[in-house]
Structure formats: C-alpha cells, structure tokens
Amino acid sequence: MLGMVGRAAEGFYQVCRGLWTVFKHSGRPPTTKEFPDVMPELPGAFRGRLALAVNPETGEHLCISCRQCERVCPDKCIDITAHKSPQTGKLELIDFKIDHGLCMFCGLCTEVCPTSCIINTSDFEMSEYSRGALIYDLKRLTLSQEESAYYFAKKDLPPPKPKAKPAPKPEAAGDAGESLAQQPSDVSQQPGPKAEE
Amino acid sequence: MNSAVFEIGKFARLTLLWLCIIFGAVWGVSWSIGVLLPAVILSQSGESGRFWAQLLQALVPVVAVALFVPLNTCYMVLAERRLLALFTVRKGPNRVGPDGAFQTVADALKLLLKEEITPRGADLLMYTLAPVIFFAPSIIGVMPLLAAVSGNHPLFTPVNLPTGVFYILAVSSIPVVGVVMGGWASNNKYSLVGALRSAAQAISYEIPLLLSIITVCLLAGTLDFVQIADNQRGSLLNWNILGGGALTHLGIGSPWWSIAAALLLAACCILLFALYVICACAEVNRTPFDLPEAESELVSGFNTEYSGIKFAIFFLAEYTNLFIVSTFAAVMFLGGGHAPFPGLEDACISGLRGLLAAWFGACTPFQLGWLVNSLVNPATVSQVFWIIVKSYALVWFASLIRATLPRLRIDQLMDYSWKRLVPLALILLIAVTFLKELV
C-alpha cells in the first residue's frame, strides 16, 4: 500500500517535471524559418541549380567546350553542341543544354571543369509547370557578370585568367593535355573578334 | 530571448482579439435580443407586445450558445495550434489575417465547402445522425452553466436548474453513442476499433469523474451551479479546491483535530481536482487518453470516413466539450466567477462603476444612460471576466498536457481507471464525508 502511494507520488512528480520542461520551451525563440519571406543563408558549397559562369572581369564565356562535364555526368543530362570554327579552327560553343529534371546535383561536372565554368549556384527554387521547362539552354544557364563575380567570391574559386593574354603561358607549362595545349594557340586569334562584338 | 517574448506577445494579442470578438458578439446579441428589442416592442405596442418580448428574452440563452460555440471553437483551435507551436519552439499558423488570427475561420470555410463522401456500404441514416448526436449534447449541456458563469444574470436565470450538476453529467454521457454510431456506420474497421475503444474508455472514466463531482457536491451541499459558485465567494481559501472554506473557519483556539481535519480536507480536495482533470481529459478524448482517434494507430479513429461539414461538426463538438469541461471545473473547483483574493472582486466592481460614471455619467440624455447601464452591469462583467480567465487557463493547460504526455496503451488505460482512479475516488468520497463533519 505504502509502496503504491510512493509510486503514485513519483509518477505525479515526473509528470509535473515533464510539463515544466515543455512549458519552459515557450520561452525559447522559435526555430521556424519563414522561407519565402526570409531566404536561407546557404554555404558556398551548396549544390543547387547548375549554371555557366563568365569571366567576372571581362565578361567572356568561360566554357571551352572540352566536354569533360558531359562525359563525367552519371545521368547524362548535359548535352553540348560545339563545332570547330572554320575561321580559327578552334572549338566553338553553339549550345549547352542541361536537363535539370534528370540531374541529381552530384556536382561531378563542377569538379572536372578545367575553367570553373560550370558551377552549382545557391538557387534551389526551380519549380516549373512542365518537364520541358526544366531543360535549360545556353541562354538560361549563362550567368551575368555580377552573378559570376558573386559566386566566384562565395565559392572562393581562383579568379579565371583572361583567355586572350595568357595564350603562350599554358604551352610553357607544358603538361596540359593535347586539346588544352592546342586551344590556347587557337584562342590567341579569338579575342580580337570577340572583343569587337 | 527577445523574439521568444515577441511570440508570447503575439499569442496574447491573438487571444485578446478573439476574446473581444467572441464575447463582444455574444454580449451584443444577447443584449439586443434580451433588452433592447423587448424594450422597443413594449414601448411601441404596450401590453399586447408582452408575449413577443418574453419570447425574445427566452430565446437569449439559445442564441447566445449558438453564437458562442462556433466562435469559441475557432479561437480554441487557433490557440491550441499556437500554444503547441510555442511549446515545440515553432511559430504556428501566421499567414491568414494579422498573425494568422483568421486561420481557423479559413479552415472552417474550407471544411464547409468540401465534398461530403459517404463510404460504400455505410449505414446512411446512422452515418448522418452520428455527428448530430455527438454535437447536440455539447450545446444542451452548456445551458445550465450559463447562469453560473454570468453571475445569475436575469436573462440566464431561467436556464439554471436546481439539479444542474446532475443534468450536465447525464447529458455528457450521450456523445459516446454518437461516436459508436459513427464508427459502426462508416463500414471501416479502424473507425469501429476507435468507436469501441471510445465506448470502453468513456464508461470506465465516467465513474471516477462522477465520484469526484459527487464528492464536491457533497462538500458544497447542493447540485445547483449558482449556489455552488456562490458558496465559494470570498477568496482562494473558500474555493472547493482548498476544501470549500474549511480553512477559513480555523482560529487560534480551534482544537487540534479540527485543524488536522481541515488540512486533510484541503489535501483531499486538491487530489479530487487532479482526479477530475485526469478523468475530464479522458472524457473529452484529450491527448494522454486520445485512443479513440489515435492518429498514428487508427488513422483518426471513429471519424476517419467523415469529411466536409460532418467532420466539422465532430471537430466543433470536441472542442466545445473541452471548453465545457474546463468551465465546469472552474465553477466546481476554482470558485466560479469569484476573484482569488479578498477585496479584489469589490475593487473590480467599484472600479468599473467609477469608469462608467466618469465616461457616461456626464452624458445627460436619459436614453444613453439607460442603454449603457443595461449593457454593462459591473457585477456581471467582473464575474464573466474571472470565469473567462479560469476557463481558458484550464484550456491552455490541456494544450500543455497535449504537448507533453504520450498516449497510453489500451490495457494501461483500463488498468489506470479501474485499479487506480476508481478506488482513489471512493476513498476520497468517504474521507471527505467524514472530514467535512469533523471540521
């Protein structure tokens, strides 16, 4: 009998303790994130929508059509159309398509990209009304100069070298692959017309 | 820290807004039907209008309850969601209206517009009647409480019963029938299990509930709500939760056995209150005992198959029952409409009277003075204020319990009632009977 009373008192005490613990939580600031009103602060390494960066300083497109991202993509969601320019004999990017409906945001393409052109942005609001709208073309993928500067700073990437000037340098470095070694020499003629455009 | 205080402030603001809406509406409508319209009729048509005037006055309690129940449910659901959010360190609904004040209104509208689905194989008559039978007792049951909560206001005196407690206890056992009907008629095994659990639970917990109420009635010596409330006039020590005035009779010269009996009686009454709260939680299917609708086990129990307006009625009845149970506790145990400290009540009344005199005393037109005096009666306002504070405090406490305690298992539930609560209630009944004589 006494043991039962003791247990009842113990139970009552424990319930009261629980109630008090829960009650104390009403004095805590809420952890709710009011998302559409207040955007979350994402870390630089966040793997959001893919995009193509341009040189923050000069504004020229960083893609060299090396197709490494296309090759490494496990989902095969990247589709690059490029051709050798008849004038310069160098690879010229015609279109760059990423099907974000297929992409699993693994970030492998950003790792292999030799020029840090393809990057994961912090954008994650990509709802669309159709699957077709999830296929981004070159125009939708390419970031503006300011956006590129923002992401280069945020991701702490080395600033890209301008394509025009360092033409002879990679040759001096020597150890780059054949295509890479070829390219700069081609590029040396490129900036002229591009700058005029 | 600052933002936490901010959230509590928002909750307080919501509460104030909704209480103003609820009681402003009920007050205004009751007054215009019970005082203004009859006065106009009598002044226009003289003696011949007396019948209509009296009919209107008799309608006041019905209209007041019909208006109060949906508004109050809107507030209670919102308050519960906001409180649970506070306790779980969230923000709760805050989109519709200022701070989400009209979230539940939007929800109610949505429920009313939704399609009603009747499951194949359902017993249509019983399926339709179940929500009605579940809901009707909560409206009927409020009636005798009206006189007690309004300080025996002349408009509500007619609905006061000399056996009000008995009446409410009788009426409050009807909803189980509705639950079982709904569970059986919806042709769904989860609903049926929920309904049967509900029946078992309601029968088991009604006994200790009744015993605790009977003990309080024994202490008060009456079954009349108005008298029970009036017996607790004075201060905290006169409330039934502390032995209904047993402690106030003690003086320095009282014999030792009288002091011991009074203290024991107070302890017994506190236990009785705890017993009542536990059983009431079980009676209205609140969380530690919400087995009939156990969302995680039975989808949602007896009302799984209900949608649209029928589900809305179930919902309405559930929250109204919670409010009735809280008000009942406030009247039976917590001193009804009387203030917890001596003198506070008189201060309330005289302060209000002074305010009225200061604001409207100068308004000389006789008509306006009459209007204000009939609209705001300081004694009634004070009573209603204290009963609101106590009832809603208990409702919020139920939310705290819901945020804390996990659900019992069905066998634990039965054990707890029959092996613990019923014997405790019987012991308390006998103890209070003897202690009352000894004090």
Side-chain angles (χ1 to χ4, degrees), chain B residues 81-296:
Chain B
R81 288 179 65 183
R82 289 299 291 238
L83 276 174
L84 288 179
L86 268 182
F87 295 141
T88 46
V89 205
R90 292 180 288 118
K91 284 199 164 175
N94 60 357
R95 295 279 138 175
V96 190
D99 292 341
F102 302 117
Q103 178 67 51
T104 40
V105 178
D107 287 348
L109 282 180
K110 181 207 75 176
L111 268 184
L112 294 186
L113 294 175
K114 258 173 103 170
E115 186 193 359
E116 266 185 62
I117 299 164
T118 311
R120 192 181 300 137
D123 186 335
L124 193 60
L125 180 66
M126 269 162 73
Y127 185 76
T128 317
L129 269 182
V132 179
I133 291 185
F134 191 67
F135 179 51
S138 52
I139 285 233
I140 307 169
V142 174
M143 292 286 176
L145 274 170
L146 282 175
V149 301
S150 63
N152 213 5
H153 191 276
L155 280 175
F156 295 116
T157 308
V159 290
N160 187 36
L161 296 172
T163 53
V165 177
F166 181 65
Y167 173 81
I168 283 205
L169 290 177
V171 164
S172 71
S173 53
I174 298 177
V176 189
V177 180
V179 170
V180 176
M181 269 170 79
W184 171 255
S186 27
N187 193 24
N188 174 331
K189 53 183 175 264
Y190 295 114
S191 301
L192 187 59
V193 173
L196 289 178
R197 280 181 177 192
S198 171
Q201 174 183 330
I203 291 168
S204 312
Y205 279 82
E206 206 141 86
I207 296 165
L209 182 83
L210 280 172
L211 286 173
S212 74
I213 294 300
I214 286 172
T215 318
V216 177
C217 292
L218 199 83
L219 196 67
T222 173
L223 287 170
D224 187 337
F225 279 120
V226 175
Q227 280 186 32
I228 290 176
D230 275 346
N231 285 347
Q232 304 175 60
R233 182 186 297 277
S235 72
L236 202 69
L237 293 179
N238 290 74
W239 292 3
N240 281 341
I241 190 175
L242 287 177
L247 293 173
T248 52
H249 297 316
L250 297 179
I252 296 172
S254 2
W256 66 266
W257 45 266
S258 175
I259 296 174
L263 288 176
L264 259 178
L265 188 61
C268 281
C269 286
I270 292 172
L271 269 181
L272 269 181
F273 182 66
L275 188 68
Y276 175 83
V277 169
I278 293 170
C279 296
C281 271
E283 274 294 293
V284 298
N285 303 335
R286 293 289 299 182
T287 285
F289 310 105
D290 66 342
L291 286 110
E293 44 190 297
E295 284 107 340
S296 45

Side-chain angles (χ1 to χ4, degrees), chain A:
Chain A
M1 180 66 197
L2 263 181
M4 203 162 136
V5 172
R7 266 183 293 139
E10 168 75 14
F12 190 71
Y13 167 70
Q14 293 296 350
V15 167
C16 288
R17 235 182 54 163
L19 289 174
W20 174 240
T21 307
V22 171
F23 183 72
K24 270 193 300 189
H25 278 69
S26 57
R28 283 226 217 140
T31 53
T32 311
K33 301 276 186 289
E34 286 180 273
F35 156 59
D37 299 340
V38 184
M39 291 301 281
E41 286 192 10
L42 297 166
F46 179 79
R47 296 203 298 259
R49 174 170 63 85
L50 290 169
L52 302 177
V54 298
N55 190 324
E57 275 125 42
T58 60
E60 64 197 350
H61 208 285
L62 286 176
C63 182
I64 53 175
S65 314
C66 65
R67 293 177 187 271
Q68 292 207 50
C69 48
E70 193 181 26
R71 201 176 309 129
V72 80
C73 180
D75 294 331
K76 300 280 170 249
C77 67
I78 301 180
D79 179 25
I80 298 175
T81 318
H83 73 143
K84 268 214 165 100
S85 166
Q87 292 107 32
T88 59
K90 125 187 207 320
L91 281 172
E92 204 176 54
L93 189 61
I94 295 171
D95 204 358
F96 197 117
K97 278 187 178 155
I98 298 181
D99 188 349
H100 274 109
L102 282 179
C103 180
M104 62 178 182
F105 302 96
C106 61
L108 285 178
C109 47
T110 66
E111 277 173 37
V112 297
C113 186
T115 56
S116 307
C117 173
I118 186 162
I119 54 170
N120 281 113
T121 61
S122 303
D123 180 24
F124 53 90
E125 298 168 319
M126 304 167 60
S127 328
E128 296 286 357
Y129 286 99
S130 67
R131 288 190 196 175
L134 282 170
I135 302 173
Y136 283 51
D137 61 4
L138 183 62
K139 210 177 148 207
R140 284 175 81 191
L141 282 172
T142 307
L143 295 172
S144 74
Q145 217 166 319
E146 294 81 42
E147 285 169 327
S148 304
Y150 169 74
Y151 281 114
F152 268 82
K154 188 174 182 185
K155 289 177 181 291
D156 209 12
L157 293 171
K161 292 160 191 157
K163 276 183 185 175
K165 271 197 174 173
K169 277 182 190 170
E171 266 185 331
D175 57 346
E178 253 185 58
S179 62
L180 272 177
Q182 242 177 351
Q183 264 176 352
S185 60
D186 298 327
V187 171
S188 57
Q189 278 119 22
Q190 168 97 28
K194 255 215 172 165
E196 279 162 31
E197 279 168 37

